[in-house]
Amino acid sequence: NAGVTQTPKFRILKIGQSMTLQCTQDMNHNYMYWYRQDPGMGLKLIYYSVGAGITDKGEVPNGYNVSRSTTEDFPLRLELAAPSQTSVYFCASRYQTGVQETQYFGPGTRLLVL
Amino acid sequence: AQSVTQLDSQVPVFEEAPVELRCNYSSSVSVYLFWYVQYPNQGLQLLLKYLSGSTLVESINGFEAEFNKSQTSFHLRKPSVHISDTAEYFCAVSGVNTPLVFGKGTRLSVIA
């Protein structure tokens, strides 16, 4: 099991450019999440998905889009990059059944928007 | 809605001293509680979790946390810290089928 993988690890964008952050999990988890982490602010939920074809907004969705065409993949799209989107982005997947609950995080993508 | 408050943003402590990182939560439904650790320039790793049963939960590296429903707390403790425990610690809460909600984190600095 590779767990949760994210690409790229680092990226520098110019204002107005677009990019897609890739996230893949090989654990057949239904739940997947995108968070952003800013210094002193903890992790804030951008979007999440409870299964293929189903997505929903989190706390800070503006400026982002997601899709979930397969159980394994949950890409995050930035259409018009802004300096406020400079952050570290974490993807996660979750296994939950009854009282068994485990969430796994990817290694993160560091994004700088100039 | 659920929320988490980590009362200390930074906690310096000498090596081999005890430490407590405080976490309070707010939720109108039954909760699952978690502590995650993030070492410098790395992702988040699960340290321990409370789902049900015994209110005292332990990790493999000597940390423990106690779920206190009446005080809505889930404080993290370790009786003797090591330099290698220097990291940022995040408390998180979720419910059944709801996403994790994180606190802002506590930066633990262990001083030799």
Side-chain angles (χ1 to χ4, degrees), chain A residues 87-103:
Chain A
S87 188
V88 181
Y89 292 84
F90 289 100
C91 179
S93 71
R94 182 180 185 185
Y95 171 79
Q96 184 178 50
T97 176
V99 293
Q100 296 302 313
E101 148 85 49
T102 303
Q103 184 154 325

Side-chain angles (χ1 to χ4, degrees), chain A residues 13-47:
Chain A
L13 285 181
K14 294 182 180 178
I15 294 172
Q17 287 185 320
S18 63
M19 75 165 293
T20 299
L21 284 68
Q22 302 290 347
C23 175
T24 300
Q25 53 97 4
D26 61 357
M27 297 170 283
N28 203 34
H29 291 169
N30 283 330
Y31 297 88
M32 294 189 74
Y33 307 89
W34 274 106
Y35 295 90
R36 60 177 287 172
Q37 183 181 21
D38 301 298
M41 299 302 293
L43 279 77
K44 293 191 181 295
L45 183 66
I46 305 171
Y47 270 95

Side-chain angles (χ1 to χ4, degrees), chain B residues 13-96:
Chain B
V13 62
F14 286 105
E15 193 174 19
E16 298 184 7
V19 69
E20 179 180 80
L21 306 183
R22 297 180 291 169
C23 172
N24 287 93
Y25 70 91
S26 172
S27 177
S28 58
V29 297
S30 297
V31 296
Y32 300 148
L33 291 157
F34 306 82
W35 277 99
Y36 282 84
V37 59
Q38 185 179 35
Y39 298 103
N41 298 314
Q42 294 189 24
L44 277 78
Q45 302 173 30
L46 179 66
L47 190 60
L48 46 76
K49 60 185 176 184
Y50 169 79
L51 304 179
S52 67
S54 173
T55 57
L56 184 64
V57 291
E58 299 176 351
S59 71
I60 58 173
N61 57 353
F63 283 94
E64 65 179 29
E66 186 162 18
F67 170 56
N68 188 319
K69 189 174 182 179
S70 63
Q71 297 186 7
T72 60
S73 67
F74 191 55
H75 301 331
L76 182 70
R77 302 182 180 94
K78 188 170 185 179
S80 175
V81 295
H82 302 286
I83 292 289
S84 59
D85 294 324
T86 294
E88 191 151 20
Y89 293 80
F90 293 94
C91 182
V93 63
S94 75
V96 177

